[in-house]
Amino acid sequence: MSDPVQHTLNELCVLADLPVRTVRYYVQHGLIDRPVGETRAARYGAAQLEQLLLIKKWSAAGVSLERIRELLQGVEADVPARARQAGAVEVHSHLHVADGLEVVIEPGRAQLSPEQVRAFTRGVMALYESITKGKTK
């Protein structure tokens, strides 16, 4: 047995916080893997739960079901950035370089991974240090 944790359809829906009808739609249209077994004996595992949570996250971000299907199948392409709208919540990182000098980073919009953000931060700090090194206080 490759996936020891098994859930009924109702249990899966509770875990994913999705209606039964939606999960059945996703199975029917091949967005999530088919369960093991049929009808009431059907069992869903961690893989299907993970697929549902990804679909839910991407749907909330405005990604189409067609694009979600491609992403789940491993087709690599950038998810287009959504236009800024009034009332939208954005996450920013603020790099305090020195008094009066701050860099605002929006990793999602800049398409930077956490590792790239850390490398950028180190680079900015090194550049600032090299610029101000000869400056007398």
Side-chain angles (χ1 to χ4, degrees):
M1 190 185 299
S2 63
D3 191 0
V5 179
Q6 300 288 307
H7 306 285
T8 65
L9 176 59
N10 287 333
E11 292 169 343
L12 183 71
C13 292
V14 168
L15 291 169
D17 192 26
L18 289 169
V20 170
R21 184 175 181 172
T22 301
V23 174
R24 285 186 176 141
Y25 177 87
Y26 292 158
V27 170
Q28 181 182 10
H29 287 87
L31 289 165
I32 68 168
D33 297 336
R34 297 195 67 73
V36 174
E38 302 268 332
T39 62
R40 292 188 186 268
R43 294 291 179 257
Y44 299 82
Q48 285 100 342
L49 178 59
E50 184 178 328
Q51 290 167 336
L52 285 173
L53 294 175
L54 286 171
I55 292 168
K56 189 174 176 179
K57 178 178 83 170
W58 290 329
S59 292
V63 180
S64 71
L65 288 180
E66 181 179 322
R67 180 65 185 122
I68 289 172
R69 180 187 329 277
E70 292 173 352
L71 290 168
L72 290 170
Q73 293 172 351
V75 176
E76 292 296 326
D78 297 331
V79 176
R82 291 174 43 181
R84 290 177 153 185
Q85 298 175 356
V89 176
E90 296 178 341
V91 177
H92 301 241
S93 295
H94 294 261
L95 171 60
H96 176 76
V97 179
D99 190 29
L101 185 57
E102 185 174 299
V103 177
V104 177
I105 305 166
E106 296 178 59
R109 289 184 62 201
Q111 298 179 346
L112 295 175
S113 69
E115 295 80 21
Q116 290 172 316
V117 171
R118 286 190 287 276
F120 177 81
T121 299
R122 285 190 301 271
V124 168
M125 295 307 293
L127 179 60
Y128 179 77
E129 185 178 320
S130 71
I131 290 171
T132 59
K133 201 174 198 178
K135 184 178 174 181
T136 58
K137 295 183 181 182

